[in-house]
Amino acid sequence: MGYAKERGKLEKLSGKINGLDVYNEKNFAILVDGHEKYSHTIRILKNKEPELFMDLYTNELQELKGVRNAVKESETDEARQANFIQYKDTIVRVMDKTIEVTKQTN
């Protein structure tokens, strides 16, 4: 089964997110949007091939939710910045992991 369309979406999104290094409301909104787009894409993949993508769907989305909440709940600017970087790195990592699974299935 081909996953080129979904892989292309994730690769483009990962490239857009990878350059964000400083917390501000605009960059945080971009990460949240990327998170939502990843969530939508992984849901599509899970529905197409549950055996391959169910773990990514459950585990990675839960991890993303946790780090997003850590950014929101940060009480200091330093903590917010550190959690923002962790959120960005987590999104990029799970996208890369999903991209690799789609490449292995073709």
Side-chain angles (χ1 to χ4, degrees):
M1 193 176 275
Y3 302 110
K5 181 179 177 183
E6 287 81 9
R7 182 173 51 243
K9 288 179 192 177
L10 292 176
E11 288 170 343
K12 182 177 178 183
L13 192 56
S14 180
K16 179 180 177 183
I17 288 173
N18 213 12
L20 302 176
D21 290 328
V22 177
Y23 173 83
N24 59 43
E25 289 299 320
K26 180 181 176 187
N27 287 348
F28 185 63
I30 292 170
L31 285 187
V32 170
D33 183 58
H35 179 170
E36 290 171 1
K37 288 178 180 174
Y38 172 77
S39 176
H40 178 74
T41 302
I42 194 68
R43 190 174 307 115
I44 290 169
L45 292 168
K46 177 203 54 112
N47 290 339
K48 284 184 178 181
E49 194 69 50
E51 290 179 13
L52 290 173
F53 296 102
M54 184 58 83
D55 286 344
L56 290 169
Y57 178 77
T58 54
N59 299 333
E60 270 62 9
L61 284 180
Q62 191 65 31
E63 182 179 2
L64 283 173
K65 184 178 178 183
V67 292
R68 181 188 66 208
N69 287 340
V71 175
K72 287 181 177 180
E73 296 167 0
S74 298
E75 295 187 11
T76 66
D77 290 340
E78 293 81 16
R80 190 172 295 111
Q81 177 64 34
N83 289 328
F84 175 81
I85 295 298
Q86 183 180 3
Y87 185 34
K88 179 202 74 159
D89 291 345
T90 303
I91 291 174
V92 170
R93 181 178 46 78
V94 301
M95 285 185 190
D96 290 345
K97 192 173 182 181
T98 305
I99 289 166
E100 284 306 309
V101 172
T102 64
K103 287 180 180 177
Q104 293 169 5
T105 60
N106 287 337

Short mmCIF file of all heavy atoms in Angstrom, two decimals, residues 14 17-18 31 34-35 38 56 59-68 70-71 82-98:
data_model
loop_
_atom_site.label_atom_id
_atom_site.label_comp_id
_atom_site.label_asym_id
_atom_site.label_seq_id
_atom_site.Cartn_x
_atom_site.Cartn_y
_atom_site.Cartn_z
N SER A 14 7.61 18.58 8.82
CA SER A 14 8.80 18.43 9.65
C SER A 14 9.84 19.50 9.30
O SER A 14 10.45 20.10 10.19
CB SER A 14 9.40 17.03 9.46
OG SER A 14 10.55 16.89 10.24
N ILE A 17 8.76 22.85 10.81
CA ILE A 17 8.85 22.90 12.27
C ILE A 17 10.29 22.89 12.75
O ILE A 17 10.63 23.52 13.75
CB ILE A 17 8.06 21.72 12.87
CG1 ILE A 17 6.56 21.98 12.70
CG2 ILE A 17 8.40 21.51 14.34
CD1 ILE A 17 5.69 20.83 13.09
N ASN A 18 11.14 22.20 12.05
CA ASN A 18 12.52 21.99 12.49
C ASN A 18 13.27 23.29 12.76
O ASN A 18 14.15 23.33 13.60
CB ASN A 18 13.27 21.15 11.46
CG ASN A 18 14.30 20.27 12.09
OD1 ASN A 18 14.34 20.09 13.29
ND2 ASN A 18 15.15 19.71 11.26
N LEU A 31 3.66 25.03 16.15
CA LEU A 31 3.86 23.67 16.67
C LEU A 31 2.53 22.97 16.95
O LEU A 31 2.37 21.80 16.62
CB LEU A 31 4.70 23.70 17.95
CG LEU A 31 6.18 23.96 17.82
CD1 LEU A 31 6.87 23.79 19.17
CD2 LEU A 31 6.82 23.07 16.79
N GLY A 34 1.13 21.93 13.71
CA GLY A 34 1.86 20.76 13.24
C GLY A 34 1.45 19.50 13.98
O GLY A 34 1.30 18.42 13.38
N HIS A 35 1.25 19.63 15.27
CA HIS A 35 0.79 18.51 16.10
C HIS A 35 -0.57 18.02 15.61
O HIS A 35 -0.79 16.83 15.43
CB HIS A 35 0.73 18.99 17.55
CG HIS A 35 0.25 17.99 18.53
ND1 HIS A 35 0.32 18.20 19.87
CD2 HIS A 35 -0.34 16.77 18.42
CE1 HIS A 35 -0.19 17.18 20.53
NE2 HIS A 35 -0.61 16.30 19.66
N TYR A 38 -0.17 16.30 12.26
CA TYR A 38 0.41 14.97 12.48
C TYR A 38 -0.66 14.02 13.00
O TYR A 38 -0.78 12.89 12.54
CB TYR A 38 1.59 15.03 13.46
CG TYR A 38 2.07 13.64 13.83
CD1 TYR A 38 2.85 12.91 12.96
CD2 TYR A 38 1.70 13.05 15.03
CE1 TYR A 38 3.26 11.63 13.27
CE2 TYR A 38 2.10 11.78 15.35
CZ TYR A 38 2.88 11.07 14.47
OH TYR A 38 3.28 9.79 14.78
N LEU A 56 2.26 3.83 16.99
CA LEU A 56 2.59 5.24 16.77
C LEU A 56 1.41 6.12 17.14
O LEU A 56 1.57 7.17 17.78
CB LEU A 56 2.97 5.49 15.31
CG LEU A 56 4.30 4.89 14.84
CD1 LEU A 56 4.41 4.98 13.33
CD2 LEU A 56 5.46 5.61 15.50
N ASN A 59 0.97 5.78 21.28
CA ASN A 59 2.11 6.20 22.10
C ASN A 59 2.61 7.59 21.77
O ASN A 59 2.81 8.42 22.66
CB ASN A 59 3.26 5.19 21.99
CG ASN A 59 2.84 3.81 22.46
OD1 ASN A 59 1.96 3.66 23.29
ND2 ASN A 59 3.47 2.80 21.90
N GLU A 60 2.84 7.86 20.49
CA GLU A 60 3.41 9.14 20.12
C GLU A 60 2.43 10.29 20.35
O GLU A 60 2.83 11.36 20.79
CB GLU A 60 3.90 9.12 18.66
CG GLU A 60 5.33 8.67 18.49
CD GLU A 60 5.64 7.24 18.93
OE1 GLU A 60 4.71 6.48 19.23
OE2 GLU A 60 6.82 6.90 18.98
N LEU A 61 1.17 10.07 20.05
CA LEU A 61 0.20 11.15 20.30
C LEU A 61 0.09 11.46 21.78
O LEU A 61 -0.04 12.62 22.17
CB LEU A 61 -1.17 10.79 19.72
CG LEU A 61 -1.29 10.92 18.20
CD1 LEU A 61 -2.70 10.54 17.76
CD2 LEU A 61 -0.94 12.31 17.72
N GLN A 62 0.16 10.43 22.62
CA GLN A 62 0.11 10.65 24.07
C GLN A 62 1.34 11.43 24.53
O GLN A 62 1.24 12.35 25.34
CB GLN A 62 0.03 9.31 24.81
CG GLN A 62 -0.30 9.44 26.26
CD GLN A 62 -1.68 10.02 26.50
OE1 GLN A 62 -2.59 9.84 25.73
NE2 GLN A 62 -1.82 10.75 27.59
N GLU A 63 2.51 11.08 23.99
CA GLU A 63 3.74 11.78 24.34
C GLU A 63 3.66 13.25 23.91
O GLU A 63 4.04 14.15 24.66
CB GLU A 63 4.93 11.09 23.69
CG GLU A 63 6.26 11.72 24.04
CD GLU A 63 7.44 11.02 23.40
OE1 GLU A 63 7.25 10.05 22.64
OE2 GLU A 63 8.57 11.47 23.67
N LEU A 64 3.17 13.49 22.68
CA LEU A 64 3.04 14.86 22.19
C LEU A 64 2.11 15.68 23.07
O LEU A 64 2.39 16.84 23.38
CB LEU A 64 2.54 14.87 20.75
CG LEU A 64 3.56 14.52 19.69
CD1 LEU A 64 2.89 14.40 18.32
CD2 LEU A 64 4.67 15.55 19.64
N LYS A 65 1.03 15.08 23.49
CA LYS A 65 0.08 15.79 24.34
C LYS A 65 0.73 16.19 25.66
O LYS A 65 0.55 17.31 26.14
CB LYS A 65 -1.14 14.89 24.60
CG LYS A 65 -2.23 15.55 25.40
CD LYS A 65 -3.41 14.63 25.57
CE LYS A 65 -4.50 15.27 26.40
NZ LYS A 65 -5.62 14.36 26.62
N GLY A 66 1.53 15.30 26.20
CA GLY A 66 2.22 15.59 27.47
C GLY A 66 3.20 16.74 27.36
O GLY A 66 3.22 17.63 28.22
N VAL A 67 4.01 16.75 26.31
CA VAL A 67 4.99 17.84 26.18
C VAL A 67 4.32 19.16 25.80
O VAL A 67 4.79 20.22 26.19
CB VAL A 67 6.16 17.49 25.23
CG1 VAL A 67 7.02 16.41 25.81
CG2 VAL A 67 5.71 17.13 23.85
N ARG A 68 3.22 19.10 25.05
CA ARG A 68 2.47 20.33 24.74
C ARG A 68 1.93 20.93 26.04
O ARG A 68 2.04 22.14 26.27
CB ARG A 68 1.33 20.05 23.78
CG ARG A 68 0.55 21.32 23.43
CD ARG A 68 -0.70 21.05 22.64
NE ARG A 68 -1.62 20.31 23.47
CZ ARG A 68 -2.54 19.47 23.01
NH1 ARG A 68 -2.67 19.25 21.72
NH2 ARG A 68 -3.34 18.83 23.84
N ALA A 70 3.14 20.55 28.97
CA ALA A 70 4.26 21.07 29.77
C ALA A 70 4.59 22.50 29.34
O ALA A 70 4.91 23.34 30.19
CB ALA A 70 5.47 20.16 29.61
N VAL A 71 4.52 22.78 28.06
CA VAL A 71 4.78 24.16 27.58
C VAL A 71 3.70 25.08 28.15
O VAL A 71 4.02 26.15 28.69
CB VAL A 71 4.79 24.24 26.04
CG1 VAL A 71 4.94 25.69 25.58
CG2 VAL A 71 5.92 23.39 25.46
N ALA A 82 12.54 25.81 27.48
CA ALA A 82 13.06 24.43 27.49
C ALA A 82 11.98 23.44 27.06
O ALA A 82 12.24 22.52 26.27
CB ALA A 82 13.58 24.09 28.88
N ASN A 83 10.77 23.62 27.55
CA ASN A 83 9.66 22.73 27.19
C ASN A 83 9.25 22.92 25.73
O ASN A 83 8.86 21.96 25.07
CB ASN A 83 8.47 22.93 28.12
CG ASN A 83 8.73 22.39 29.50
OD1 ASN A 83 9.45 21.41 29.68
ND2 ASN A 83 8.16 23.02 30.51
N PHE A 84 9.36 24.14 25.23
CA PHE A 84 9.07 24.41 23.82
C PHE A 84 10.04 23.63 22.93
O PHE A 84 9.62 23.00 21.96
CB PHE A 84 9.17 25.92 23.55
CG PHE A 84 9.01 26.29 22.10
CD1 PHE A 84 7.75 26.38 21.53
CD2 PHE A 84 10.12 26.56 21.31
CE1 PHE A 84 7.59 26.73 20.20
CE2 PHE A 84 9.97 26.91 19.97
CZ PHE A 84 8.70 26.98 19.42
N ILE A 85 11.32 23.68 23.26
CA ILE A 85 12.33 22.95 22.47
C ILE A 85 12.05 21.45 22.55
O ILE A 85 12.14 20.74 21.54
CB ILE A 85 13.75 23.28 22.96
CG1 ILE A 85 14.08 24.76 22.70
CG2 ILE A 85 14.79 22.37 22.31
CD1 ILE A 85 14.07 25.17 21.24
N GLN A 86 11.70 20.97 23.72
CA GLN A 86 11.38 19.54 23.86
C GLN A 86 10.15 19.18 23.02
O GLN A 86 10.12 18.13 22.38
CB GLN A 86 11.13 19.19 25.32
CG GLN A 86 10.87 17.71 25.53
CD GLN A 86 10.61 17.36 26.99
OE1 GLN A 86 10.58 18.22 27.86
NE2 GLN A 86 10.42 16.08 27.25
N TYR A 87 9.15 20.04 23.00
CA TYR A 87 7.94 19.82 22.20
C TYR A 87 8.30 19.76 20.72
O TYR A 87 7.91 18.85 20.00
CB TYR A 87 6.95 20.94 22.50
CG TYR A 87 5.57 20.82 21.86
CD1 TYR A 87 4.96 19.58 21.65
CD2 TYR A 87 4.87 21.97 21.50
CE1 TYR A 87 3.69 19.50 21.08
CE2 TYR A 87 3.61 21.89 20.94
CZ TYR A 87 3.03 20.66 20.74
OH TYR A 87 1.77 20.59 20.18
N LYS A 88 9.10 20.73 20.26
CA LYS A 88 9.53 20.76 18.86
C LYS A 88 10.31 19.50 18.52
O LYS A 88 10.04 18.84 17.51
CB LYS A 88 10.38 21.99 18.58
CG LYS A 88 10.88 22.04 17.12
CD LYS A 88 12.08 22.90 16.95
CE LYS A 88 13.29 22.19 17.49
NZ LYS A 88 14.56 22.63 17.00
N ASP A 89 11.27 19.15 19.36
CA ASP A 89 12.10 17.96 19.10
C ASP A 89 11.24 16.69 19.08
O ASP A 89 11.49 15.80 18.27
CB ASP A 89 13.21 17.84 20.14
CG ASP A 89 14.27 18.92 20.00
OD1 ASP A 89 14.32 19.60 18.95
OD2 ASP A 89 15.05 19.10 20.96
N THR A 90 10.27 16.62 19.95
CA THR A 90 9.39 15.45 20.00
C THR A 90 8.55 15.35 18.74
O THR A 90 8.41 14.26 18.16
CB THR A 90 8.49 15.50 21.25
OG1 THR A 90 9.32 15.58 22.42
CG2 THR A 90 7.61 14.26 21.35
N ILE A 91 7.99 16.46 18.28
CA ILE A 91 7.19 16.44 17.05
C ILE A 91 8.05 15.98 15.87
O ILE A 91 7.64 15.12 15.10
CB ILE A 91 6.57 17.83 16.76
CG1 ILE A 91 5.50 18.17 17.79
CG2 ILE A 91 5.96 17.86 15.35
CD1 ILE A 91 4.94 19.58 17.67
N VAL A 92 9.24 16.55 15.75
CA VAL A 92 10.12 16.18 14.64
C VAL A 92 10.49 14.71 14.73
O VAL A 92 10.47 13.99 13.73
CB VAL A 92 11.37 17.09 14.61
CG1 VAL A 92 12.40 16.57 13.63
CG2 VAL A 92 10.97 18.53 14.26
N ARG A 93 10.80 14.23 15.93
CA ARG A 93 11.19 12.82 16.11
C ARG A 93 10.06 11.87 15.75
O ARG A 93 10.28 10.90 15.03
CB ARG A 93 11.64 12.57 17.56
CG ARG A 93 12.09 11.14 17.81
CD ARG A 93 12.57 10.92 19.24
NE ARG A 93 11.73 11.47 20.26
CZ ARG A 93 10.58 10.93 20.69
NH1 ARG A 93 10.13 9.82 20.15
NH2 ARG A 93 9.87 11.50 21.64
N VAL A 94 8.85 12.16 16.20
CA VAL A 94 7.74 11.24 15.89
C VAL A 94 7.38 11.29 14.42
O VAL A 94 7.00 10.27 13.83
CB VAL A 94 6.50 11.44 16.80
CG1 VAL A 94 6.86 11.24 18.26
CG2 VAL A 94 5.83 12.77 16.58
N MET A 95 7.52 12.46 13.80
CA MET A 95 7.28 12.55 12.35
C MET A 95 8.32 11.74 11.60
O MET A 95 7.98 10.99 10.67
CB MET A 95 7.28 14.00 11.88
CG MET A 95 6.04 14.75 12.25
SD MET A 95 6.09 16.39 11.52
CE MET A 95 4.71 17.14 12.34
N ASP A 96 9.59 11.88 12.00
CA ASP A 96 10.65 11.11 11.34
C ASP A 96 10.42 9.60 11.52
O ASP A 96 10.62 8.83 10.58
CB ASP A 96 12.02 11.51 11.89
CG ASP A 96 12.45 12.91 11.46
OD1 ASP A 96 11.83 13.47 10.52
OD2 ASP A 96 13.40 13.44 12.06
N LYS A 97 10.00 9.22 12.70
CA LYS A 97 9.73 7.80 12.97
C LYS A 97 8.59 7.30 12.08
O LYS A 97 8.67 6.21 11.49
CB LYS A 97 9.36 7.65 14.45
CG LYS A 97 9.31 6.26 14.97
CD LYS A 97 9.09 6.33 16.49
CE LYS A 97 9.07 4.98 17.13
NZ LYS A 97 8.84 5.07 18.58
N THR A 98 7.55 8.09 11.94
CA THR A 98 6.42 7.72 11.10
C THR A 98 6.83 7.66 9.63
O THR A 98 6.44 6.75 8.90
CB THR A 98 5.25 8.70 11.30
OG1 THR A 98 4.91 8.75 12.70
CG2 THR A 98 4.03 8.29 10.51
#
